[in-house]
Amino acid sequence: MPRHIMSVTEMKAADAAAVAAGTPATTLMERAGQGAADAIRARWARRPVVIWCGPGDNGGDGYVIARHLRRRGWPVRVEALAPPASTSCRWAAERWRSEVHALNPAVTPADLYIDALFGAGLSRPLEGAADDLARAAEGLSARIVAIDTPSGIHGDTGRPIDGRALAAALTVTFHRRKPAHVLAPGRAACGEVEVIDIGLTDVAAGTLFENDPSLWGARFPWPSTDAHKHARGRLLVVSGEAWSTGAARLSARAGLRIGAGVVTLLSPPGALAINAAHLEAVMLAPFETDAELAERAANAAAAVIGPAAGLGEATARNLTALAGTGAALVVDADALTSFAHAPDQLFARLDRDDVLTPHPGEFERLFPGLLKSAPERIAAARQAARQAGAIVLLKGPDTVIAAPDGRAAVNLNGAPWLATAGSGDVLAGFIAGLAAQGMDSFDAACAGAWIHAECGAAHGPGLIAEDLPGLAPAVLKRLWDQRANPLP
Ligand SMILES: NC(=O)C1=CN([C@@H]2O[C@H](COP(=O)(O)OP(=O)(O)OC[C@H]3O[C@@H](n4cnc5c(N)ncnc54)[C@H](O)[C@@H]3O)[C@@H](O)[C@H]2O)[C@H](O)CC1
Ligand SMILES: [K+]
């Protein structure tokens, strides 16, 4: 089952739906608090703990956690920012039946801290004692467990509303992740995220998902037993000029590794010898004009254009020629920047099978001001996909994939090792290689990004882009083994 990422509003609607269906809000709070206490006990042995409780239901969770930890013999001290202001918080505080101290903004010495000040209801910047506490708690995150979200981080953006926020080693949230758990800087502030099931349904969920095999695994283009190479799709990759051929070869090799049946590198005449010297299974063919490119692409299922393709008119013409064929395009790097002066000309040539793979700088050139004006990068990528009429994969530690129809997914497995020259060329090849095998372009972009990140995480320090294609088989093998019994 695909895992939704839900907004604060959608979560509140899921909450309300459960209550309307007969589950009291206090029961949801009891499940949340008990689940959080269990997650805490699974990671830390009994030790002195201070629980910071806010006035709302986030605080209510804190009182429930206090009760469950004390029942297991933990030495618990509850400190309240303010008296309970919600019905459920009052209910939870009454059942705590022990002393409640005033919040000590200088941080009472303890071994572990539970941040139950604010969660989904954060509506303004931290102030007063809460802000003082956030300052005093800086550097303590290794000993903080945040409930729902680190206080100060807004659930829908992953950013502090304004000013300070707490950070945690573990964040326990409920039912589904929110954008705050997957978008920088909230993703880092959360530390490890654990999602507790409290019996809600996805009735209120939208079309934003965690990017993992549960989203696209069922549609992964495994070859049929009688497959032959042409049945697995033809992929074209456009090479740059003589001194700029490595990037396209990285894409081509990645396309082959991910399973495309036949991959052809289309090379300007001046780069043929250099390309030929480096190729084995990837085939090579010359092109000089955009018309020749279109001719070569006539029976290609997918094509990559952009990696070191060269900036300017020639690349723009070559893209235009490819866009006129039936091939699904993956447009990266120079092919994106070559339209910076006239993004609408690019968008007019694209269709929903095509995939743009900009990093934030390229995104800004094609969608000036959008990253800054959108509430966060998911909204920005969704708006861009609508504007371009194509799939937009906005790269970063929190890569977002968005389709013109509103579907979007966020990569959770990004690894810092991927920040190396040529990594994007390989990603473009993975995506196009999957599209060449007939995978829907949104699914191909999601699967390509997930596999790319898994390869990076598998290798770790010292990764260079040349390593990436060779790391794909192990990831594909895991997917292949799981296909029989997909992840829950
Ligand atoms: N379905 C679920 O996800 C469940 C979530 N639970 C918990 O409920 C909270 C959300 O509770 P809510 O009362 O809506 O909001 P908060 O407790 O986060 O805070 C609201 C409270 O705080 C005041 N406030 C907001 N911002 C500030 C600020 N900067 N300074 C001071 N005061 C502030 C606001 O006025 C309210 O009084 C969710 O996070 C979960 O932890 C349920 O327990 C189970 C189901
Ligand atoms: K919190």
Side-chain angles (χ1 to χ4, degrees), residues 11-12 15 28-29 32 55-59 61 81 85-86 117-127 147-148 174 178 198 200:
M11 281 306 300
K12 286 202 184 296
D15 215 61
L28 293 174
M29 182 172 282
D57 289 359
N58 197 242
D61 291 349
L81 173 70
S86 75
L117 290 171
F118 307 111
L122 184 80
S123 58
R124 53 189 188 276
L126 296 187
E127 60 207 5
I147 305 307
D148 200 16
F174 310 109
K178 292 183 188 67
I198 57 173
L200 299 182

PDB file of all heavy atoms in Angstrom, residues 11-12 15 28-29 32 55-59 61 81 85-86 117-127 147-148 174 178 198 200, ligand 1:
ATOM      1  N   MET A  11      -4.620  15.572   8.500  1.00  0.00           N
ATOM      2  CA  MET A  11      -4.521  14.776   9.722  1.00  0.00           C
ATOM      3  C   MET A  11      -5.688  15.109  10.661  1.00  0.00           C
ATOM      4  O   MET A  11      -6.296  14.237  11.263  1.00  0.00           O
ATOM      5  CB  MET A  11      -3.195  15.029  10.448  1.00  0.00           C
ATOM      6  CG  MET A  11      -2.015  14.311   9.853  1.00  0.00           C
ATOM      7  SD  MET A  11      -2.255  12.542   9.668  1.00  0.00           S
ATOM      8  CE  MET A  11      -2.521  12.100  11.359  1.00  0.00           C
ATOM      9  N   LYS A  12      -5.993  16.398  10.758  1.00  0.00           N
ATOM     10  CA  LYS A  12      -7.104  16.795  11.648  1.00  0.00           C
ATOM     11  C   LYS A  12      -8.426  16.218  11.116  1.00  0.00           C
ATOM     12  O   LYS A  12      -9.267  15.748  11.866  1.00  0.00           O
ATOM     13  CB  LYS A  12      -7.180  18.319  11.759  1.00  0.00           C
ATOM     14  CG  LYS A  12      -6.058  18.921  12.630  1.00  0.00           C
ATOM     15  CD  LYS A  12      -6.439  20.291  13.152  1.00  0.00           C
ATOM     16  CE  LYS A  12      -5.317  20.966  13.932  1.00  0.00           C
ATOM     17  NZ  LYS A  12      -4.868  20.350  15.148  1.00  0.00           N
ATOM     18  N   ASP A  15      -8.531  12.598  12.011  1.00  0.00           N
ATOM     19  CA  ASP A  15      -8.852  12.557  13.439  1.00  0.00           C
ATOM     20  C   ASP A  15     -10.367  12.702  13.631  1.00  0.00           C
ATOM     21  O   ASP A  15     -11.025  11.884  14.264  1.00  0.00           O
ATOM     22  CB  ASP A  15      -8.172  13.782  14.062  1.00  0.00           C
ATOM     23  CG  ASP A  15      -7.659  13.512  15.444  1.00  0.00           C
ATOM     24  OD1 ASP A  15      -6.799  12.624  15.548  1.00  0.00           O
ATOM     25  OD2 ASP A  15      -8.139  14.140  16.393  1.00  0.00           O
ATOM     26  N   LEU A  28      -7.914   8.193  21.012  1.00  0.00           N
ATOM     27  CA  LEU A  28      -6.816   8.443  20.057  1.00  0.00           C
ATOM     28  C   LEU A  28      -5.589   8.957  20.801  1.00  0.00           C
ATOM     29  O   LEU A  28      -4.463   8.546  20.547  1.00  0.00           O
ATOM     30  CB  LEU A  28      -7.260   9.460  19.003  1.00  0.00           C
ATOM     31  CG  LEU A  28      -8.356   9.005  18.040  1.00  0.00           C
ATOM     32  CD1 LEU A  28      -8.793  10.157  17.140  1.00  0.00           C
ATOM     33  CD2 LEU A  28      -7.891   7.818  17.192  1.00  0.00           C
ATOM     34  N   MET A  29      -5.829   9.832  21.775  1.00  0.00           N
ATOM     35  CA  MET A  29      -4.713  10.394  22.546  1.00  0.00           C
ATOM     36  C   MET A  29      -4.049   9.303  23.387  1.00  0.00           C
ATOM     37  O   MET A  29      -2.828   9.222  23.460  1.00  0.00           O
ATOM     38  CB  MET A  29      -5.200  11.533  23.441  1.00  0.00           C
ATOM     39  CG  MET A  29      -4.099  12.210  24.234  1.00  0.00           C
ATOM     40  SD  MET A  29      -4.678  13.673  25.091  1.00  0.00           S
ATOM     41  CE  MET A  29      -4.708  14.844  23.736  1.00  0.00           C
ATOM     42  N   ALA A  32      -1.974   7.284  21.122  1.00  0.00           N
ATOM     43  CA  ALA A  32      -0.784   8.044  20.721  1.00  0.00           C
ATOM     44  C   ALA A  32       0.251   8.044  21.837  1.00  0.00           C
ATOM     45  O   ALA A  32       1.427   7.739  21.623  1.00  0.00           O
ATOM     46  CB  ALA A  32      -1.186   9.474  20.362  1.00  0.00           C
ATOM     47  N   PRO A  55      -0.128  23.355  26.125  1.00  0.00           N
ATOM     48  CA  PRO A  55      -1.530  23.471  26.550  1.00  0.00           C
ATOM     49  C   PRO A  55      -2.515  22.722  25.666  1.00  0.00           C
ATOM     50  O   PRO A  55      -3.661  22.549  26.033  1.00  0.00           O
ATOM     51  CB  PRO A  55      -1.797  24.977  26.452  1.00  0.00           C
ATOM     52  CG  PRO A  55      -0.879  25.450  25.383  1.00  0.00           C
ATOM     53  CD  PRO A  55       0.335  24.561  25.423  1.00  0.00           C
ATOM     54  N   GLY A  56      -2.053  22.240  24.517  1.00  0.00           N
ATOM     55  CA  GLY A  56      -2.976  21.598  23.574  1.00  0.00           C
ATOM     56  C   GLY A  56      -2.854  20.091  23.606  1.00  0.00           C
ATOM     57  O   GLY A  56      -2.296  19.512  24.553  1.00  0.00           O
ATOM     58  N   ASP A  57      -3.312  19.455  22.567  1.00  0.00           N
ATOM     59  CA  ASP A  57      -3.317  17.986  22.537  1.00  0.00           C
ATOM     60  C   ASP A  57      -1.905  17.403  22.428  1.00  0.00           C
ATOM     61  O   ASP A  57      -1.664  16.258  22.792  1.00  0.00           O
ATOM     62  CB  ASP A  57      -4.189  17.485  21.376  1.00  0.00           C
ATOM     63  CG  ASP A  57      -5.668  17.738  21.669  1.00  0.00           C
ATOM     64  OD1 ASP A  57      -5.957  18.272  22.778  1.00  0.00           O
ATOM     65  OD2 ASP A  57      -6.508  17.416  20.810  1.00  0.00           O
ATOM     66  N   ASN A  58      -0.958  18.206  21.926  1.00  0.00           N
ATOM     67  CA  ASN A  58       0.431  17.724  21.926  1.00  0.00           C
ATOM     68  C   ASN A  58       0.871  17.547  23.375  1.00  0.00           C
ATOM     69  O   ASN A  58       1.438  16.516  23.749  1.00  0.00           O
ATOM     70  CB  ASN A  58       1.331  18.743  21.197  1.00  0.00           C
ATOM     71  CG  ASN A  58       2.668  18.149  20.805  1.00  0.00           C
ATOM     72  OD1 ASN A  58       3.707  18.600  21.262  1.00  0.00           O
ATOM     73  ND2 ASN A  58       2.665  17.107  19.987  1.00  0.00           N
ATOM     74  N   GLY A  59       0.495  18.529  24.192  1.00  0.00           N
ATOM     75  CA  GLY A  59       0.761  18.425  25.625  1.00  0.00           C
ATOM     76  C   GLY A  59       0.009  17.239  26.220  1.00  0.00           C
ATOM     77  O   GLY A  59       0.545  16.526  27.080  1.00  0.00           O
ATOM     78  N   ASP A  61      -0.675  14.469  24.808  1.00  0.00           N
ATOM     79  CA  ASP A  61       0.134  13.262  24.558  1.00  0.00           C
ATOM     80  C   ASP A  61       1.217  13.141  25.622  1.00  0.00           C
ATOM     81  O   ASP A  61       1.512  12.041  26.099  1.00  0.00           O
ATOM     82  CB  ASP A  61       0.807  13.353  23.176  1.00  0.00           C
ATOM     83  CG  ASP A  61      -0.198  13.251  22.041  1.00  0.00           C
ATOM     84  OD1 ASP A  61      -1.363  12.909  22.296  1.00  0.00           O
ATOM     85  OD2 ASP A  61       0.191  13.550  20.889  1.00  0.00           O
ATOM     86  N   LEU A  81       4.073  24.201  30.248  1.00  0.00           N
ATOM     87  CA  LEU A  81       4.267  25.587  29.773  1.00  0.00           C
ATOM     88  C   LEU A  81       3.086  26.446  30.234  1.00  0.00           C
ATOM     89  O   LEU A  81       3.241  27.612  30.557  1.00  0.00           O
ATOM     90  CB  LEU A  81       4.331  25.597  28.239  1.00  0.00           C
ATOM     91  CG  LEU A  81       4.374  26.974  27.587  1.00  0.00           C
ATOM     92  CD1 LEU A  81       5.714  27.642  27.860  1.00  0.00           C
ATOM     93  CD2 LEU A  81       4.128  26.882  26.082  1.00  0.00           C
ATOM     94  N   ALA A  85      -5.427  23.602  27.827  1.00  0.00           N
ATOM     95  CA  ALA A  85      -6.416  24.494  27.205  1.00  0.00           C
ATOM     96  C   ALA A  85      -7.371  23.705  26.321  1.00  0.00           C
ATOM     97  O   ALA A  85      -8.305  24.259  25.760  1.00  0.00           O
ATOM     98  CB  ALA A  85      -5.704  25.554  26.350  1.00  0.00           C
ATOM     99  N   SER A  86      -7.144  22.398  26.143  1.00  0.00           N
ATOM    100  CA  SER A  86      -8.066  21.624  25.301  1.00  0.00           C
ATOM    101  C   SER A  86      -8.709  20.542  26.170  1.00  0.00           C
ATOM    102  O   SER A  86      -8.149  20.135  27.197  1.00  0.00           O
ATOM    103  CB  SER A  86      -7.302  20.958  24.144  1.00  0.00           C
ATOM    104  OG  SER A  86      -6.553  19.849  24.647  1.00  0.00           O
ATOM    105  N   LEU A 117       5.431  20.052  23.629  1.00  0.00           N
ATOM    106  CA  LEU A 117       4.950  21.441  23.775  1.00  0.00           C
ATOM    107  C   LEU A 117       3.942  21.772  22.674  1.00  0.00           C
ATOM    108  O   LEU A 117       2.800  22.122  22.934  1.00  0.00           O
ATOM    109  CB  LEU A 117       6.135  22.412  23.712  1.00  0.00           C
ATOM    110  CG  LEU A 117       7.076  22.380  24.914  1.00  0.00           C
ATOM    111  CD1 LEU A 117       8.324  23.219  24.642  1.00  0.00           C
ATOM    112  CD2 LEU A 117       6.366  22.861  26.177  1.00  0.00           C
ATOM    113  N   PHE A 118       4.404  21.667  21.431  1.00  0.00           N
ATOM    114  CA  PHE A 118       3.509  21.957  20.303  1.00  0.00           C
ATOM    115  C   PHE A 118       3.740  20.948  19.185  1.00  0.00           C
ATOM    116  O   PHE A 118       4.846  20.485  18.951  1.00  0.00           O
ATOM    117  CB  PHE A 118       3.775  23.365  19.744  1.00  0.00           C
ATOM    118  CG  PHE A 118       3.720  24.442  20.781  1.00  0.00           C
ATOM    119  CD1 PHE A 118       4.867  25.095  21.156  1.00  0.00           C
ATOM    120  CD2 PHE A 118       2.528  24.736  21.409  1.00  0.00           C
ATOM    121  CE1 PHE A 118       4.828  26.068  22.149  1.00  0.00           C
ATOM    122  CE2 PHE A 118       2.481  25.708  22.403  1.00  0.00           C
ATOM    123  CZ  PHE A 118       3.639  26.366  22.782  1.00  0.00           C
ATOM    124  N   GLY A 119       2.680  20.676  18.493  1.00  0.00           N
ATOM    125  CA  GLY A 119       2.791  19.779  17.338  1.00  0.00           C
ATOM    126  C   GLY A 119       1.996  20.372  16.200  1.00  0.00           C
ATOM    127  O   GLY A 119       2.297  21.480  15.758  1.00  0.00           O
ATOM    128  N   ALA A 120       0.955  19.717  15.816  1.00  0.00           N
ATOM    129  CA  ALA A 120       0.176  20.137  14.638  1.00  0.00           C
ATOM    130  C   ALA A 120      -0.516  21.481  14.849  1.00  0.00           C
ATOM    131  O   ALA A 120      -0.909  22.134  13.903  1.00  0.00           O
ATOM    132  CB  ALA A 120      -0.873  19.072  14.308  1.00  0.00           C
ATOM    133  N   GLY A 121      -0.625  21.898  16.078  1.00  0.00           N
ATOM    134  CA  GLY A 121      -1.369  23.143  16.341  1.00  0.00           C
ATOM    135  C   GLY A 121      -0.485  24.363  16.435  1.00  0.00           C
ATOM    136  O   GLY A 121      -0.958  25.468  16.727  1.00  0.00           O
ATOM    137  N   LEU A 122       0.810  24.193  16.139  1.00  0.00           N
ATOM    138  CA  LEU A 122       1.700  25.367  16.228  1.00  0.00           C
ATOM    139  C   LEU A 122       1.160  26.449  15.294  1.00  0.00           C
ATOM    140  O   LEU A 122       0.908  26.195  14.117  1.00  0.00           O
ATOM    141  CB  LEU A 122       3.109  24.970  15.795  1.00  0.00           C
ATOM    142  CG  LEU A 122       4.139  26.072  15.946  1.00  0.00           C
ATOM    143  CD1 LEU A 122       4.626  26.187  17.389  1.00  0.00           C
ATOM    144  CD2 LEU A 122       5.314  25.838  15.018  1.00  0.00           C
ATOM    145  N   SER A 123       0.931  27.619  15.817  1.00  0.00           N
ATOM    146  CA  SER A 123       0.302  28.638  14.954  1.00  0.00           C
ATOM    147  C   SER A 123       1.080  29.945  14.927  1.00  0.00           C
ATOM    148  O   SER A 123       0.730  30.870  14.219  1.00  0.00           O
ATOM    149  CB  SER A 123      -1.110  28.917  15.472  1.00  0.00           C
ATOM    150  OG  SER A 123      -1.001  29.340  16.833  1.00  0.00           O
ATOM    151  N   ARG A 124       2.146  30.014  15.728  1.00  0.00           N
ATOM    152  CA  ARG A 124       2.933  31.252  15.716  1.00  0.00           C
ATOM    153  C   ARG A 124       4.337  30.929  16.220  1.00  0.00           C
ATOM    154  O   ARG A 124       4.561  29.827  16.729  1.00  0.00           O
ATOM    155  CB  ARG A 124       2.236  32.302  16.578  1.00  0.00           C
ATOM    156  CG  ARG A 124       1.891  31.874  17.988  1.00  0.00           C
ATOM    157  CD  ARG A 124       0.995  32.929  18.669  1.00  0.00           C
ATOM    158  NE  ARG A 124       0.786  32.643  20.074  1.00  0.00           N
ATOM    159  CZ  ARG A 124      -0.147  31.820  20.555  1.00  0.00           C
ATOM    160  NH1 ARG A 124      -0.935  31.169  19.719  1.00  0.00           N
ATOM    161  NH2 ARG A 124      -0.270  31.623  21.851  1.00  0.00           N
ATOM    162  N   PRO A 125       5.276  31.816  16.065  1.00  0.00           N
ATOM    163  CA  PRO A 125       6.652  31.509  16.495  1.00  0.00           C
ATOM    164  C   PRO A 125       6.688  31.245  18.012  1.00  0.00           C
ATOM    165  O   PRO A 125       5.866  31.731  18.770  1.00  0.00           O
ATOM    166  CB  PRO A 125       7.430  32.785  16.148  1.00  0.00           C
ATOM    167  CG  PRO A 125       6.604  33.489  15.134  1.00  0.00           C
ATOM    168  CD  PRO A 125       5.174  33.134  15.440  1.00  0.00           C
ATOM    169  N   LEU A 126       7.654  30.438  18.422  1.00  0.00           N
ATOM    170  CA  LEU A 126       7.841  30.208  19.858  1.00  0.00           C
ATOM    171  C   LEU A 126       8.119  31.551  20.522  1.00  0.00           C
ATOM    172  O   LEU A 126       8.797  32.410  19.937  1.00  0.00           O
ATOM    173  CB  LEU A 126       9.018  29.251  20.089  1.00  0.00           C
ATOM    174  CG  LEU A 126       8.873  27.823  19.552  1.00  0.00           C
ATOM    175  CD1 LEU A 126      10.056  26.978  20.012  1.00  0.00           C
ATOM    176  CD2 LEU A 126       7.549  27.195  19.981  1.00  0.00           C
ATOM    177  N   GLU A 127       7.610  31.717  21.722  1.00  0.00           N
ATOM    178  CA  GLU A 127       7.828  32.980  22.441  1.00  0.00           C
ATOM    179  C   GLU A 127       7.997  32.678  23.923  1.00  0.00           C
ATOM    180  O   GLU A 127       7.742  31.562  24.367  1.00  0.00           O
ATOM    181  CB  GLU A 127       6.634  33.904  22.195  1.00  0.00           C
ATOM    182  CG  GLU A 127       5.336  33.301  22.679  1.00  0.00           C
ATOM    183  CD  GLU A 127       4.099  33.831  21.914  1.00  0.00           C
ATOM    184  OE1 GLU A 127       4.268  34.591  20.939  1.00  0.00           O
ATOM    185  OE2 GLU A 127       2.971  33.442  22.277  1.00  0.00           O
ATOM    186  N   ILE A 147       7.412  14.839  20.156  1.00  0.00           N
ATOM    187  CA  ILE A 147       6.115  14.205  19.919  1.00  0.00           C
ATOM    188  C   ILE A 147       5.428  14.924  18.763  1.00  0.00           C
ATOM    189  O   ILE A 147       5.271  16.141  18.790  1.00  0.00           O
ATOM    190  CB  ILE A 147       5.232  14.256  21.191  1.00  0.00           C
ATOM    191  CG1 ILE A 147       5.967  13.631  22.367  1.00  0.00           C
ATOM    192  CG2 ILE A 147       3.890  13.555  20.937  1.00  0.00           C
ATOM    193  CD1 ILE A 147       6.506  12.206  22.120  1.00  0.00           C
ATOM    194  N   ASP A 148       5.140  14.163  17.740  1.00  0.00           N
ATOM    195  CA  ASP A 148       4.531  14.633  16.494  1.00  0.00           C
ATOM    196  C   ASP A 148       5.514  15.462  15.665  1.00  0.00           C
ATOM    197  O   ASP A 148       5.851  15.079  14.554  1.00  0.00           O
ATOM    198  CB  ASP A 148       3.240  15.415  16.740  1.00  0.00           C
ATOM    199  CG  ASP A 148       2.385  15.451  15.480  1.00  0.00           C
ATOM    200  OD1 ASP A 148       2.643  14.634  14.562  1.00  0.00           O
ATOM    201  OD2 ASP A 148       1.515  16.304  15.377  1.00  0.00           O
ATOM    202  N   PHE A 174       2.127  10.284  14.307  1.00  0.00           N
ATOM    203  CA  PHE A 174       0.953   9.410  14.355  1.00  0.00           C
ATOM    204  C   PHE A 174       0.327   9.216  12.989  1.00  0.00           C
ATOM    205  O   PHE A 174       0.141  10.175  12.255  1.00  0.00           O
ATOM    206  CB  PHE A 174      -0.058   9.991  15.353  1.00  0.00           C
ATOM    207  CG  PHE A 174       0.597  10.310  16.660  1.00  0.00           C
ATOM    208  CD1 PHE A 174       0.811  11.616  17.051  1.00  0.00           C
ATOM    209  CD2 PHE A 174       1.101   9.289  17.460  1.00  0.00           C
ATOM    210  CE1 PHE A 174       1.471  11.907  18.236  1.00  0.00           C
ATOM    211  CE2 PHE A 174       1.772   9.567  18.645  1.00  0.00           C
ATOM    212  CZ  PHE A 174       1.959  10.882  19.035  1.00  0.00           C
ATOM    213  N   LYS A 178       4.140  13.805   8.032  1.00  0.00           N
ATOM    214  CA  LYS A 178       3.729  15.096   7.481  1.00  0.00           C
ATOM    215  C   LYS A 178       4.905  15.636   6.664  1.00  0.00           C
ATOM    216  O   LYS A 178       6.035  15.125   6.788  1.00  0.00           O
ATOM    217  CB  LYS A 178       3.409  16.071   8.624  1.00  0.00           C
ATOM    218  CG  LYS A 178       2.166  15.703   9.444  1.00  0.00           C
ATOM    219  CD  LYS A 178       1.910  16.768  10.487  1.00  0.00           C
ATOM    220  CE  LYS A 178       0.795  16.322  11.424  1.00  0.00           C
ATOM    221  NZ  LYS A 178       1.203  15.149  12.266  1.00  0.00           N
ATOM    222  N   ILE A 198      -2.538   4.745  15.113  1.00  0.00           N
ATOM    223  CA  ILE A 198      -3.518   4.984  16.192  1.00  0.00           C
ATOM    224  C   ILE A 198      -4.934   4.694  15.694  1.00  0.00           C
ATOM    225  O   ILE A 198      -5.922   5.202  16.222  1.00  0.00           O
ATOM    226  CB  ILE A 198      -3.413   6.414  16.754  1.00  0.00           C
ATOM    227  CG1 ILE A 198      -3.591   7.466  15.656  1.00  0.00           C
ATOM    228  CG2 ILE A 198      -2.107   6.620  17.492  1.00  0.00           C
ATOM    229  CD1 ILE A 198      -3.675   8.874  16.198  1.00  0.00           C
ATOM    230  N   LEU A 200      -6.332   5.351  12.622  1.00  0.00           N
ATOM    231  CA  LEU A 200      -6.986   6.277  11.691  1.00  0.00           C
ATOM    232  C   LEU A 200      -7.016   5.664  10.300  1.00  0.00           C
ATOM    233  O   LEU A 200      -6.280   4.731  10.006  1.00  0.00           O
ATOM    234  CB  LEU A 200      -6.214   7.611  11.660  1.00  0.00           C
ATOM    235  CG  LEU A 200      -6.124   8.367  12.975  1.00  0.00           C
ATOM    236  CD1 LEU A 200      -5.373   9.679  12.757  1.00  0.00           C
ATOM    237  CD2 LEU A 200      -7.492   8.625  13.576  1.00  0.00           C
TER     238      LEU A 200
HETATM  239  N1  LIG B   1      -4.552  12.537  14.560  1.00  0.00           N
HETATM  240  C1  LIG B   1      -3.475  12.911  15.183  1.00  0.00           C
HETATM  241  O1  LIG B   1      -2.438  13.207  14.567  1.00  0.00           O
HETATM  242  C2  LIG B   1      -3.496  13.038  16.660  1.00  0.00           C
HETATM  243  C3  LIG B   1      -2.718  14.035  17.208  1.00  0.00           C
HETATM  244  N2  LIG B   1      -2.657  14.238  18.524  1.00  0.00           N
HETATM  245  C4  LIG B   1      -1.821  15.264  19.067  1.00  0.00           C
HETATM  246  O2  LIG B   1      -2.526  16.466  18.909  1.00  0.00           O
HETATM  247  C5  LIG B   1      -1.601  17.473  18.525  1.00  0.00           C
HETATM  248  C6  LIG B   1      -2.288  18.653  17.919  1.00  0.00           C
HETATM  249  O3  LIG B   1      -3.001  19.220  18.996  1.00  0.00           O
HETATM  250  P1  LIG B   1      -3.501  20.727  18.931  1.00  0.00           P
HETATM  251  O4  LIG B   1      -4.207  20.985  20.222  1.00  0.00           O
HETATM  252  O5  LIG B   1      -4.227  20.952  17.670  1.00  0.00           O
HETATM  253  O6  LIG B   1      -2.176  21.605  18.831  1.00  0.00           O
HETATM  254  P2  LIG B   1      -0.899  21.701  19.740  1.00  0.00           P
HETATM  255  O7  LIG B   1      -1.060  20.879  20.955  1.00  0.00           O
HETATM  256  O8  LIG B   1       0.238  21.469  18.864  1.00  0.00           O
HETATM  257  O9  LIG B   1      -0.851  23.259  20.193  1.00  0.00           O
HETATM  258  C7  LIG B   1      -1.971  24.043  20.150  1.00  0.00           C
HETATM  259  C8  LIG B   1      -2.007  24.890  21.397  1.00  0.00           C
HETATM  260  O10 LIG B   1      -0.808  25.630  21.523  1.00  0.00           O
HETATM  261  C9  LIG B   1      -1.094  27.033  21.322  1.00  0.00           C
HETATM  262  N3  LIG B   1       0.017  27.534  20.518  1.00  0.00           N
HETATM  263  C10 LIG B   1       0.266  27.305  19.221  1.00  0.00           C
HETATM  264  N4  LIG B   1       1.433  27.891  18.865  1.00  0.00           N
HETATM  265  C11 LIG B   1       1.923  28.490  19.984  1.00  0.00           C
HETATM  266  C12 LIG B   1       3.096  29.219  20.278  1.00  0.00           C
HETATM  267  N5  LIG B   1       4.033  29.451  19.347  1.00  0.00           N
HETATM  268  N6  LIG B   1       3.266  29.704  21.521  1.00  0.00           N
HETATM  269  C13 LIG B   1       2.331  29.470  22.487  1.00  0.00           C
HETATM  270  N7  LIG B   1       1.187  28.751  22.284  1.00  0.00           N
HETATM  271  C14 LIG B   1       1.018  28.273  21.031  1.00  0.00           C
HETATM  272  C15 LIG B   1      -2.427  27.050  20.656  1.00  0.00           C
HETATM  273  O11 LIG B   1      -3.067  28.261  20.963  1.00  0.00           O
HETATM  274  C16 LIG B   1      -3.105  25.866  21.291  1.00  0.00           C
HETATM  275  O12 LIG B   1      -3.534  26.182  22.589  1.00  0.00           O
HETATM  276  C17 LIG B   1      -0.685  16.743  17.604  1.00  0.00           C
HETATM  277  O13 LIG B   1       0.515  17.426  17.403  1.00  0.00           O
HETATM  278  C18 LIG B   1      -0.509  15.423  18.310  1.00  0.00           C
HETATM  279  O14 LIG B   1       0.560  15.491  19.229  1.00  0.00           O
HETATM  280  C19 LIG B   1      -3.556  13.503  19.410  1.00  0.00           C
HETATM  281  O15 LIG B   1      -3.053  13.365  20.657  1.00  0.00           O
HETATM  282  C20 LIG B   1      -3.804  12.102  18.888  1.00  0.00           C
HETATM  283  C21 LIG B   1      -4.302  12.123  17.478  1.00  0.00           C
END
